Amino acid sequence: PANEVYHKKQNALKAMPQSLRDALFMHVWAVILVIKWYKRPQIKQLTMMVHPTDIIEGNKVFEKWVKDELNLWSECFDKPEYHEDRYMLEEQFAKYLPAALQFYPVEGRPTFADVKKYIPDVINDCQVYRITGDSDDDSENIKWNAHRMNILIGAQMLNRGFTVEKLATT
């Protein structure tokens, strides 16, 4: 939505846009379904690309939001199953599963109960990289198969000949 598009002067967002949070939920499901449930042998990891702005400082803000969200999710899943925070987060994940499953044949689709056990593992097996072309970015340090889930946040470098391996979510 237009009100969630970052612009340094016209729409300097103060919090992570809901559409980015939605995409994170869907990307976690993509990793779980492709790698854990359907076990596609040729796919060891999936990548999400976030391209919010061509301004390096704006990309750093998005990097922080994504890392903070994933850390929050990880902390929630560290709590006992009966804890309210964990229960609420599981409910949010359950809400996104039908949309993620629409890309797969009806026969063999998992239920939430079948796949919820994979959520913490995938969240904790994630690496976030900032690809902006400045001196402290991660463009030279990407280890594609070291983690099941990679998230690239970047600017113009992601538009100009940069190869993103196993891109599943943008």
Side-chain angles (χ1 to χ4, degrees):
N3 66 332
E4 293 186 15
V5 175
Y6 177 85
H7 188 279
K8 182 179 179 180
K9 293 180 183 174
Q10 297 171 350
N11 195 23
L13 301 171
K14 302 295 181 206
M16 176 189 277
Q18 184 60 46
S19 56
L20 178 55
R21 187 172 284 107
D22 295 343
L24 279 172
F25 278 110
M26 292 297 287
H27 189 63
V28 170
W29 279 128
V31 173
I32 289 169
L33 293 170
V34 170
I35 296 171
K36 296 285 198 171
W37 184 257
Y38 291 105
K39 298 179 181 174
R40 306 284 194 238
Q42 69 278 21
I43 301 176
K44 304 292 183 225
Q45 63 86 19
L46 291 177
T47 304
M48 176 179 181
M49 182 175 72
V50 181
H51 182 24
T53 178
D54 58 354
I55 299 167
I56 292 171
E57 291 308 314
N59 285 287
K60 288 180 179 180
V61 169
F62 274 75
E63 176 187 27
K64 180 179 179 349
W65 287 340
V66 168
K67 286 180 174 180
D68 287 351
E69 188 74 11
L70 292 169
N71 286 333
L72 176 66
W73 291 357
S74 181
E75 289 171 9
C76 282
F77 280 107
D78 282 343
K79 296 177 181 180
E81 284 198 36
Y82 57 82
H83 195 282
E84 183 179 0
D85 292 345
R86 181 175 177 152
Y87 176 79
M88 297 297 286
L89 184 57
E90 285 179 356
E91 288 289 307
Q92 288 181 309
F93 268 97
K95 180 180 89 172
Y96 289 87
L97 182 57
L101 286 172
Q102 73 181 337
F103 303 105
Y104 299 93
V106 173
E107 186 176 304
R109 283 184 183 174
T111 65
F112 182 71
D114 292 330
V115 290
K116 81 175 189 174
K117 64 186 174 194
Y118 299 123
I119 299 170
D121 181 46
V122 168
I123 290 169
N124 291 320
D125 195 6
C126 176
Q127 183 63 45
V128 178
Y129 298 98
R130 185 173 41 80
I131 312 298
T132 51
D134 60 327
S135 61
D136 67 339
D137 84 348
D138 299 311
S139 57
E140 300 296 321
N141 302 317
I142 297 176
K143 295 174 180 66
W144 294 108
N145 290 319
H147 302 277
R148 288 186 193 100
M149 184 166 71
N150 294 305
I151 300 175
L152 276 56
I153 300 171
Q156 295 302 346
M157 279 189 67
L158 293 178
N159 281 346
R160 307 237 192 283
F162 190 91
T163 301
V164 179
E165 291 191 19
K166 303 291 190 252
L167 180 62
T169 309
T170 59

